[in-house]
Amino acid sequence: MNIEEDIQKLESEIATYEARHDEKVKYNADFMKVSRSLNEIVEFEGGRLVASDLLLSLSSRLPDGMYLDRVEYSDGIANIQGSVLVSAEEASRLVNDYLRSIEGADVMQGLLDEYKLTSLERGSVGDGFAFRIEITKKEEKK
């Protein structure tokens, strides 16, 4: 008789633990679902280059005599076109200094990391030179 009572108490206790266990499993599943959603949001936001931040960063680094004519960003490639209204020697120095300056821009860190001056040529109208800079993501090695 005592054994039967002990068995019933233990079965009752097991049922209580099972209910708590099921509840904890449910909470864990809910937590994992929310965690996955948050990770997706962080990944999505982390991989985006905000246009206004890019434009502010590029324009704030412009030295005197240098102007931006066009900025495009699409599919992980940024193209920057502009002009410099200075002598040939000064144009080369200014554009290269500008290129080094934007390499350090926080807004592009982790998103774009290969900076190339693709052209620097005499402008079509008057004095000055037109330049083009291309910024891309380096290909990851397999």
Side-chain angles (χ1 to χ4, degrees):
M1 200 112 166
N2 271 344
I3 292 176
E4 266 186 47
E5 287 176 9
D6 287 344
I7 289 173
Q8 286 177 354
K9 285 180 186 176
L10 289 174
E11 286 177 349
S12 173
E13 193 174 330
I14 288 171
T16 302
Y17 287 132
E18 283 178 345
R20 282 193 237 163
H21 173 73
D22 292 345
E23 184 179 18
K24 288 179 182 178
V25 167
K26 180 186 174 298
Y27 285 142
N28 186 53
D30 291 345
F31 172 77
M32 295 303 288
K33 182 179 176 183
V34 170
S35 178
R36 278 191 298 275
S37 296
L38 290 175
N39 287 338
E40 287 175 13
I41 290 169
V42 167
E43 186 176 323
F44 176 74
E45 285 294 319
R48 286 185 36 193
L49 184 59
V50 178
S52 59
D53 292 344
L54 174 63
L55 291 174
L56 284 171
S57 181
L58 293 175
S59 62
S60 69
R61 290 173 164 71
L62 285 171
D64 289 339
M66 182 180 276
Y67 304 92
L68 294 179
D69 299 325
R70 181 182 202 141
V71 176
E72 294 178 349
Y73 177 73
S74 177
D75 299 325
I77 299 173
N79 285 298
I80 303 164
Q81 296 176 21
S83 55
V84 279
L85 303 175
V86 293
S87 67
E89 300 82 28
E90 188 71 7
S92 179
R93 185 188 66 74
L94 273 179
V95 172
N96 284 315
D97 287 350
Y98 181 67
L99 183 61
R100 281 191 295 278
S101 170
I102 62 175
E103 281 184 273
D106 290 339
V107 71
M108 291 182 267
Q109 298 303 314
L111 299 174
L112 302 173
D113 51 17
E114 192 166 7
Y115 297 75
K116 295 181 208 170
L117 175 62
T118 57
S119 72
L120 178 61
E121 52 195 36
R122 189 167 295 282
S124 59
V125 178
D127 294 332
F129 293 84
F131 67 89
R132 180 175 292 141
I133 295 172
E134 181 178 277
I135 310 170
T136 59
K137 180 82 175 158
K138 284 183 185 175
E139 294 294 323
E140 294 184 21
K141 295 179 183 176
K142 293 183 180 180

